[in-house]
Amino acid sequence: MNTVLSRANSLFAFSLSVMAALTFGCFITTAFKERSVPVRIAVSRVMLKNVEDFTGPRERSDLGFVTFDVTADLQTIFDWNVKQLFLYLSAEYSTKNNALNQVVLWDKIVLRGDSPKLLLKDMKSKYFFFDDGNGLKGNRNVTLTLSWNVVPNAGILPLVTGSGHVSVPFPDTYETAKSY
Amino acid sequence: MGRSKAALLPASSASIFRTRTRSFAAAGGVSTRARRSGREAAAREISPPSSKAGADFGSQDAPEVSPSEACASQGGAGNSEESSESGEAAGEATSVASTMLDVFGSIPTQMDYKGQKLAEQIFQGIILVSAVIGFIYGYIAEQFGWTVYIVMAGFALSCLLTLPPWPMYRRNPLKWLPVQESGSEDKKPAERKLKRHTKS
């Protein structure tokens, strides 16, 4: 501590240690918080096509198109340790080929400071809803749920499912000729 | 030029020189060595010890090094030599000019031990207080960014308060033994003193 550099070194190291302790404190105050909120999803239209799956072997697979509405209030999830939320809508169903299929249809990033009330109507899916085979035709139970990943400033990234889901039956016939 | 070097310095009357007197007395061991190499070296040696030798006490530098390297780096060294050699009364005019350059040479940059302890307590206290304030404010405002800004402000404040060697850190200077006039047995007590210094 007898030279300026020695004092500067000591001061800086102490500041960094204090900053690390504060960051840990920030994490601890929000680590055990409940991050699930009620979500309302409604599906307005379902269409089914049977096309060649360009992502895999050249056989025809089912391709689904879903138009949906999402309503949720995410305000209580945001606190001082949340940087952004990564929302995604996933469809879950089972077929002859596979017991469990989960496909992400749509996602969105909600930053801190963006409007947290989600009121989306007539959204088209962002990603192709391909099935591994032809299991969507006539499928009685395709469940859509909204989940999110909480991206914090410090700490763990929890994956939370919203409470509220909707099941839609898929049509028995394929649409032809009409493009989406 | 005599028995006590302190007699020379008050001629220039600035309080800086008074401080220099005290720390120069602290470097008394060094001055005895310099005097052996000649009167000129001793005169040149007046301005450096406060800044260089003091700062070097904490390191392992041998005492011989400080006057010579200090002399090399001090632009004002030549002027102070001139003012001391030409006598106090006649040197009044030149000493004003030399004061300007000497000011930079004579700004002391060391702290004494109690001052170091005080500086450490000050900066730890400031940063802890700003951390607590920042944590509470960030929690209330729901923005962790504010916590970081407040801690950075505390860091800047404590930099300002503890990095430059303010006079409040020099209130307990070390008490050196008085300068001993005769020959080679001066070397040992001075060296021993300095060695003890560097060990801590």
Side-chain angles (χ1 to χ4, degrees), chain B residues 176-189:
Chain B
W176 294 97
L177 290 180
V179 172
Q180 306 196 11
E181 292 303 314
S182 50
S184 54
E185 52 264 11
D186 293 345
K187 206 195 266 214
K188 271 216 188 128

Side-chain angles (χ1 to χ4, degrees), chain B residues 48-181:
Chain B
S50 50
S51 51
K52 278 296 185 203
D56 289 343
F57 280 166
S59 60
Q60 298 291 332
D61 282 53
E64 291 94 349
V65 183
S66 35
S68 46
E69 75 176 10
C71 292
S73 62
Q74 293 292 335
N79 286 342
S80 72
E81 175 187 19
E82 173 194 339
S83 70
S84 57
E85 277 185 331
S86 51
E88 300 160 21
E92 217 36 69
T94 53
S95 70
V96 172
S98 66
T99 311
M100 313 270 233
L101 288 167
D102 278 340
V103 161
F104 295 115
S106 69
I107 294 175
T109 57
Q110 76 281 21
M111 292 182 178
D112 55 50
Y113 288 128
K114 290 245 166 51
Q116 292 173 19
K117 180 171 170 210
L118 178 66
E120 183 165 350
Q121 286 172 341
I122 284 179
F123 81 66
Q124 283 177 347
I126 290 180
I127 290 187
L128 283 176
V129 165
S130 67
V132 169
I133 293 177
F135 192 79
I136 293 175
Y137 186 74
Y139 189 78
I140 292 174
E142 293 225 331
Q143 290 238 25
F144 191 62
W146 273 104
T147 303
V148 179
Y149 295 144
I150 291 177
V151 172
M152 290 202 307
F155 174 77
L157 176 65
S158 52
C159 266
L160 195 62
L161 277 184
T162 64
L163 286 186
W166 300 114
M168 66 174 165
Y169 301 125
R170 283 196 297 276
R171 283 201 289 241
N172 298 71
L174 289 161
K175 295 202 174 21
W176 294 97
L177 290 180
V179 172
Q180 306 196 11
E181 292 303 314

Side-chain angles (χ1 to χ4, degrees), chain A residues 2-123:
Chain A
N2 47 347
T3 59
V4 175
L5 285 181
S6 169
R7 283 195 294 277
N9 176 32
S10 181
L11 176 61
F12 186 60
F14 186 71
S15 301
L16 283 186
S17 305
V18 165
M19 204 61 236
L22 285 181
T23 308
F24 180 74
C26 176
F27 158 64
I28 278 291
T29 56
T30 58
F32 305 108
K33 214 177 111 166
E34 182 58 53
R35 295 191 188 273
S36 180
V37 289
V39 167
R40 230 179 59 82
I41 312 174
V43 174
S44 49
R45 227 182 79 114
V46 180
M47 186 181 64
L48 196 54
K49 284 179 122 176
N50 197 356
V51 295
E52 270 176 19
D53 189 353
F54 52 85
T55 63
R58 290 270 171 237
E59 1 175 281
R60 298 182 80 91
S61 306
D62 284 350
L63 178 59
F65 295 90
V66 184
T67 311
F68 56 90
D69 310 332
V70 178
T71 311
D73 182 8
L74 307 167
Q75 179 59 47
T76 55
I77 307 178
F78 283 104
D79 54 23
W80 72 327
N81 198 18
V82 173
K83 199 174 142 229
Q84 65 193 24
L85 292 187
F86 179 76
L87 309 163
Y88 58 96
L89 184 82
S90 59
E92 195 173 311
Y93 59 99
S94 67
T95 62
K96 274 200 312 336
N97 288 348
N98 308 303
L100 178 65
N101 303 270
Q102 286 170 326
V103 183
V104 172
L105 300 183
W106 168 91
D107 53 32
K108 182 174 167 53
I109 291 180
V110 178
L111 297 169
R112 188 110 192 286
D114 285 358
S115 144
K117 293 194 187 341
L118 217 56
L119 285 169
L120 305 164
K121 297 201 91 42
D122 287 338
M123 302 288 295

